[in-house]
Amino acid sequence: QKKSREESSGEGSGVEILANRPYSDGPGGSGQYTHKIYHVGSHIPSWFRALLPKAALQVEEESWNAYPYTRTRYTCPFVEKFSIEIETYYRPDAGQQTNIFNLSAAEKRQRIL
């Protein structure tokens, strides 16, 4: 929250929280769902910002936090078909597990390392 306040310095900046609620029967079981919009216009040079539509100046984040599992998706409304999804498992080791997501042999072959 502190970082959100520091980054909110007028129009076109800051974090807008659309949802922050518990969920059940979702990714990882039960946890906390958040949906945020990051307004990044103030981090882009003004001459470049003037060329971009408003939809290009925001990034949406949806996150399902069910410790030890978390799934987060980032999208930009300006580029509708683009998204990044990050899945994370927190385990009490130093990263020695070779197949944390229990991928099949076919799924392992599709990975880009």
Side-chain angles (χ1 to χ4, degrees), residues 38 59-61 72-76 82-86:
Y38 293 91
V59 175
E60 289 194 33
E61 174 194 88
T72 304
R73 178 186 315 135
Y74 294 97
T75 58
C76 177
F82 176 76
S83 69
I84 296 173
E85 287 200 24
I86 301 168

Side-chain angles (χ1 to χ4, degrees), residues 1-53:
Q1 288 177 346
K2 180 180 177 184
K3 183 66 173 167
S4 293
R5 278 194 311 272
E6 290 172 356
E7 293 293 321
S8 298
S9 57
E11 189 173 332
S13 68
V15 179
E16 181 181 352
I17 300 172
L18 301 177
N20 185 4
R21 63 178 179 271
Y23 70 87
S24 58
D25 196 28
S30 297
Q32 190 74 14
Y33 169 78
T34 59
H35 185 189
K36 301 175 185 177
I37 298 178
Y38 293 91
H39 299 278
V40 298
S42 64
H43 298 284
I44 297 173
S46 59
W47 65 268
F48 190 58
R49 188 172 53 236
L51 301 173
L52 297 172

